[in-house]
Amino acid sequence: MLIGLVLLVMGANLLIAGGSFYYVAAGAGLLISGILVFRGDQQGALLYSGFFILTVAWSLYEVQLDPWALMPRLGFFAVLGLWFLLPRTRRGLAQQPVQPLLQLRTAQISAALIAVFVIALFVANQGHDVGSAQGLASGTATSPSGDWTDYGASKAGTRFAPHEQINTENVAQLQRAWTHRTKIPGTFKGTPIQVGNGLYLCTGQNIIISLDPDTGAEQWRFDPQISTPPFGFWDTCRGVTYYKAPALTTGDICPERIFTATTDARLLAVDSQTGERCSDFGDNGEISLLPGMGDVKPGFYFVTSPPTIANNTLVLGGWVADNQEVEEPSGVVRGFDPSTGALKWAWDMGREDRSGLPPAGESYTRGTPNVWSLTSADEALGLVYVPTGNATPDYYGGHRSEAMEKYASSVVALEADTGRVRWHYQTTHHDIWDYDVPSQPTLVDIPMQGGLRKAVIVPTKRAEIFLLDRETGEPLTEITEVPTPQTDVPDEYTTPTQPFSTGMPSFARAPLSGVDMWGITPFDQLACRITFAKLRYEGPMTPPSLQGTLYYPGIAGGMNWGSVAVDEVNQLMVVNALHMPFVVRLIPRDEVSEDTTYGLGGRQTGTPYAVYSMPFLSPLFAPCLRPPYGEMAVVDLTTQQTLWRRPLGTAAEQGPLGIKTGLPLPMGMFYQAGSAVTGGGLIFNGGVLDSTMRAIDILTGEELWTDKLPASAQATPMSYVSPATGHQYVLITVPDGIGAPLARENAARKALDKNAEGGYVIAYRIAD
């Protein structure tokens, strides 16, 4: 009776909001069934049977044989219905002795139908479609030596190691070769690089460590003693940069250098062999990144991604705080001399005529889009490719200038020698969705259109992938300007259309509906449907609103800073895609108080609106969108067709209210980083939120090998061959026990513990 009453009231609320009639009917049926059962009338049991049969039919109509989507619709009611099958319940309702259940013809038929249903579920959800790759062996490796010298393996950012020693035939024999503990707790997002006999990586707090590639023994470490807190986003370092100086430019001082850019806005250079500061770089091995930036409040500007060396120029952008205020620090991109630290040029989007420091009393143009993610370079073309975010703050743009709009949410090709713009392409116009281009642009040479085209792949948070000519910025596949929903917010505007990469596969789902809402139980699933019906949502690019807007893809992607990986020899692109909607609501300034909750949003001071932004979750903190939440796919770049696409990851470390279920059920879980691919036909990934390192066949998507990790990795794997032993290794970095999102507070506490063992560097190889 209580269940029926709750469903009736909530169902009426949903119906008024324009949703499904089912819940009203179900609530009424359960309420009547409950009353009859309470009175001892066995018609109540028959009514419940009819209700359950109709619920099965309705569920199959809505979601077919999707087991995760069926769970909140059928699971609770199936368990509740078992009560009617208990002998005591049957005797009580019949008021007389009853036959054993399985002797009844109806029970036998029902059992057979249930068995058929379970078998159908199993069969329908086994495997995934696999196409035939057309570009096999049609390409060449960018770095035939195979050294992983840059964050993304090479300056092209393909995350490809050409080595074949570990391959699909022997990967099942892969074992841990060594494990190193960093002694630095907290976040650990760094992917190492390998040059000769050194592995170089950074941990949180921008500490650089050099390890022996064969043993993991520490060769040296450098602590820059940063001044920012040792937790949260201030603890982010994604990687370091290697530089070998041309002859006669540095003498005997640091001929080979490792750079890190820090979260307290410094750029440091140390000797790759000793870890000692390079005394001829800036002031005893460091320069400040604050000159020309003007007033910078604590935490409003720093660097989280490694710089790129291109044509003897060290290029870097910077991270700027989200959603806080207008006139935040500039998104300027700068080029420095890697030998001396001298500024060579600055690309200031608001003053493109000026390439040096601003005059005294002035600063680089404030509030312009920043380049917080990873950059790539084509030294033959003399170009650096930088992905930009949107102007600050994120969700309101009525105040933005032409300089703020022109290069926002774009990929920009800068001349490495001068910082001048060669070309740019904008992936989102007047971005008020926080749809930064978060991914490192990936450079590939693709046979298409009658010849070999120099291409740049641009993955986006929108789950769109743009394929452009990297010499000119010309689209190599079709891009369509599609009409999109328009804003109803006073003093704001939206453009009539937005670009969609229709010539490449999209990794967003079809526009969402109430059918796609999910939850652990029918009650929180219904709550999600009610909320969905009340939010503004008109498909992709629905703008922020005062009533609240559903963003899908959410602000984490689609694709994020993990980018894509490319098998350069076989022209196969590996894509990791997220599915996590967000709720975004603008809050009029006169409604903002000290008690206002922003979630992941912020005050947006200087605009008419603050903003609330959070993942779209049920009252039990389960996602309101049905699984999968994380997918992996492979695209044949020669045909631009998806070879295969499948969910990746299990629900073992997730559950309602943050409680782990421990159930290794395939679900498709969230990603925290990207993938690496090798010449042995393997994809490696350890960043799915189920604390598992995986090797996957790139041609089929079959999972060939796994290893349980101490936590979910926050970094992309890498692979190298030791110059000393000739062994191929696959390596992953893992944080100190913070695989689950709700453990962040504990991670912050542990970051202050100087005695902690810290994160893990785990290396695998085939046993002798």
Side-chain angles (χ1 to χ4, degrees):
M1 289 165 60
L2 291 173
I3 292 168
L5 185 61
V6 170
L7 287 180
L8 186 60
V9 172
M10 293 181 70
N13 198 352
L14 176 63
L15 191 61
I16 292 169
S20 171
F21 177 75
Y22 161 79
Y23 294 93
V24 171
L30 286 173
L31 182 59
I32 296 170
S33 173
I35 292 171
L36 291 173
V37 170
F38 185 76
R39 294 169 54 184
D41 189 335
Q42 62 182 338
Q43 295 299 316
L46 295 175
L47 181 57
Y48 190 89
S49 299
F51 151 79
F52 189 73
I53 290 170
L54 291 176
T55 295
V56 170
W58 167 77
S59 300
L60 292 174
Y61 168 76
E62 280 210 321
V63 297
Q64 291 75 55
L65 290 172
D66 182 337
W68 284 108
L70 289 171
M71 185 193 78
R73 291 167 168 84
L74 298 180
F76 178 87
F77 297 123
V79 173
L80 184 63
L82 293 177
W83 180 77
F84 288 101
L85 304 183
L86 297 175
R88 182 173 179 177
T89 305
R90 296 174 59 227
R91 287 195 302 269
L93 289 174
Q95 293 296 307
Q96 61 182 0
V98 294
Q99 282 184 272
L101 195 62
L102 291 180
Q103 292 183 7
L104 298 175
R105 175 63 63 181
T106 53
Q108 294 168 354
I109 294 173
S110 298
L113 291 174
I114 291 170
V116 169
F117 179 70
V118 170
I119 292 170
L121 271 181
F122 181 81
V123 171
N125 291 280
Q126 285 296 300
H128 51 272
D129 295 333
V130 178
S132 177
Q134 302 300 307
L136 298 181
S138 62
T140 57
T142 301
S143 175
S145 70
D147 279 4
W148 195 288
T149 56
D150 298 85
Y151 174 86
S154 67
K155 298 183 195 303
T158 56
R159 295 158 181 77
F160 175 66
H163 316 300
E164 303 177 5
Q165 191 178 121
I166 301 171
N167 54 59
T168 56
E169 298 298 320
N170 64 12
V171 69
Q173 303 169 37
L174 204 60
Q175 297 180 4
R176 293 192 186 189
W178 53 260
T179 298
H180 175 86
R181 299 299 296 274
T182 66
K183 309 296 183 184
I184 309 299
T187 56
F188 193 8
K189 298 179 182 178
T191 294
I193 61 174
Q194 176 262 326
V195 183
N197 289 315
L199 279 172
Y200 305 98
L201 59 103
C202 64
T203 69
Q205 305 166 52
N206 287 109
I207 293 171
I208 308 174
I209 301 175
S210 172
L211 303 178
D212 181 281
D214 283 298
T215 67
E218 186 170 313
Q219 300 182 137
W220 55 258
R221 74 170 49 202
F222 172 77
D223 186 349
Q225 299 291 324
I226 64 171
S227 59
T228 47
F231 49 85
F233 206 65
W234 293 284
D235 211 21
T236 297
C237 182
R238 294 190 177 91
V240 296
T241 304
Y242 168 79
Y243 172 69
K244 183 175 183 179
L248 304 179
T249 58
T250 63
D252 295 328
I253 302 175
C254 294
E256 296 183 56
R257 306 180 171 201
I258 301 296
F259 290 95
T260 187
T262 69
T263 54
D264 60 0
R266 290 181 289 157
L267 178 62
L268 297 106
V270 299
D271 189 291
S272 68
Q273 299 304 308
T274 66
E276 298 294 326
R277 288 173 177 263
C278 297
S279 59
D280 61 342
F281 182 82
D283 181 8
N284 191 30
E286 69 174 80
I287 61 173
S288 171
L289 299 176
L290 296 180
M293 298 299 290
D295 179 46
V296 177
K297 298 177 182 178
F300 270 60
Y301 171 81
F302 50 81
V303 184
T304 58
S305 297
T308 292
I309 300 283
N311 301 86
N312 210 38
T313 301
L314 188 151
V315 181
L316 84 165
W319 181 90
V320 176
D322 285 340
N323 307 314
Q324 299 307 305
E325 59 189 34
V326 299
E327 296 294 309
E328 290 190 21
S330 175
V332 63
V333 177
R334 286 170 282 185
F336 296 92
D337 185 316
S339 296
T340 67
L343 179 69
K344 297 179 70 170
W345 52 258
W347 175 50
D348 179 355
M349 301 175 207
R351 288 296 305 271
E352 294 191 87
D353 59 322
R354 184 172 65 197
S355 62
L357 277 168
E362 296 184 28
S363 68
Y364 298 119
T365 308
R366 301 184 72 86
T368 51
N370 62 313
V371 178
W372 61 266
S373 190
L374 299 129
T375 57
S376 307
D378 184 329
E379 294 189 293
L381 296 177
L383 296 177
V384 178
Y385 302 88
V386 301
T388 67
N390 58 354
T392 56
D394 291 326
Y395 298 105
Y396 177 81
H399 65 289
R400 295 178 187 169
S401 66
E402 181 180 351
M404 294 177 179
E405 295 283 19
K406 182 177 180 181
Y407 295 110
S409 304
S410 302
V411 61
V412 184
L414 300 177
E415 295 177 354
D417 291 334
T418 66
R420 300 297 185 188
V421 176
R422 179 79 61 83
W423 60 261
H424 79 282
Y425 186 86
Q426 188 168 71
T427 66
T428 301
H429 307 320
H430 187 62
D431 184 358
I432 49 176
W433 295 267
D434 192 16
Y435 279 159
D436 305 349
V437 178
S439 303
Q440 180 181 24
T442 301
L443 314 184
V444 292
D445 295 340
I446 305 174
M448 60 187 308
Q449 301 173 3
L452 194 67
R453 300 299 298 266
K454 295 181 180 297
V456 54
I457 301 167
V458 186
T460 68
K461 287 184 181 180
R462 294 173 49 201
E464 299 284 311
I465 297 179
F466 295 84
L467 189 66
L468 310 173
D469 186 298
R470 67 175 184 267
E471 293 185 82
T472 66
E474 167 198 0
L476 293 179
T477 54
E478 185 176 4
I479 298 173
T480 307
E481 288 284 340
V482 177
T484 49
Q486 299 297 292
T487 186
D488 57 2
V489 174
D491 302 317
E492 181 59 281
Y493 74 94
T494 38
T495 59
T497 63
Q498 292 286 352
F500 285 77
S501 185
T502 49
M504 290 288 287
S506 172
F507 292 94
R509 297 184 189 176
L512 307 181
S513 70
V515 171
D516 295 301
M517 298 302 103
W518 197 72
I520 302 296
T521 70
F523 308 106
D524 62 325
Q525 192 245 7
L526 177 52
C528 288
R529 292 184 83 140
I530 293 170
T531 303
F532 175 79
K534 293 181 177 180
L535 291 170
R536 182 178 180 190
Y537 176 72
E538 299 160 33
M541 312 302 291
T542 304
S545 63
L546 300 179
Q547 76 186 72
T549 293
L550 184 72
Y551 273 27
Y552 174 75
I555 64 171
M559 281 67 82
N560 210 292
W561 62 270
S563 195
V564 297
V566 175
D567 180 333
E568 298 170 346
V569 173
N570 294 308
Q571 307 286 2
L572 298 175
M573 175 176 66
V574 181
V575 180
N576 301 323
L578 285 173
H579 305 287
M580 185 63 198
F582 269 62
V583 174
V584 173
R585 182 173 65 87
L586 296 176
I587 307 169
R589 186 65 55 198
D590 59 6
E591 296 179 14
V592 176
S593 70
E594 293 299 321
D595 298 324
T596 300
T597 298
Y598 305 112
L600 300 177
R603 294 184 63 85
Q604 298 199 138
T605 302
T607 75
Y609 307 98
V611 64
Y612 169 86
S613 174
M614 278 296 284
F616 187 26
L617 301 176
S618 80
L620 294 179
F621 299 101
C624 275
L625 180 67
R626 67 179 177 177
Y629 306 116
E631 290 185 292
M632 179 177 282
V634 166
V635 175
D636 187 333
L637 290 172
T638 61
T639 64
Q640 298 86 55
Q641 299 297 311
T642 301
L643 187 63
W644 54 262
R645 179 175 178 176
R646 55 159 292 192
L648 200 65
T650 72
E653 295 201 0
Q654 305 300 315
L657 303 175
I659 302 170
K660 296 182 181 181
T661 65
L663 300 175
L665 300 174
M667 191 178 199
M669 291 308 300
F670 305 101
Y671 286 90
Q672 296 191 98
S675 299
V677 62
T678 71
L682 295 167
I683 304 165
F684 289 95
N685 187 288
V688 181
L689 280 183
D690 62 358
S691 301
T692 303
M693 182 70 167
R694 291 178 167 86
I696 295 164
D697 189 320
I698 195 170
L699 293 179
T700 67
E702 181 185 356
E703 196 170 281
L704 301 179
W705 168 88
T706 64
D707 183 51
K708 192 66 177 174
L709 297 172
S712 297
Q714 298 176 329
T716 299
M718 53 88 72
S719 182
Y720 60 92
V721 168
S722 165
T725 64
H727 292 306
Q728 181 184 356
Y729 293 87
V730 175
L731 188 147
I732 188 74
T733 62
V734 180
D736 187 10
I738 56 173
L742 293 181
R744 301 299 182 194
E745 183 178 347
N746 183 51
R749 178 186 60 78
K750 292 178 71 176
L752 301 175
D753 180 2
K754 299 303 182 183
N755 296 318
E757 286 296 308
Y760 301 76
V761 185
I762 302 173
Y764 301 91
R765 72 175 177 88
I766 302 296
D768 292 329

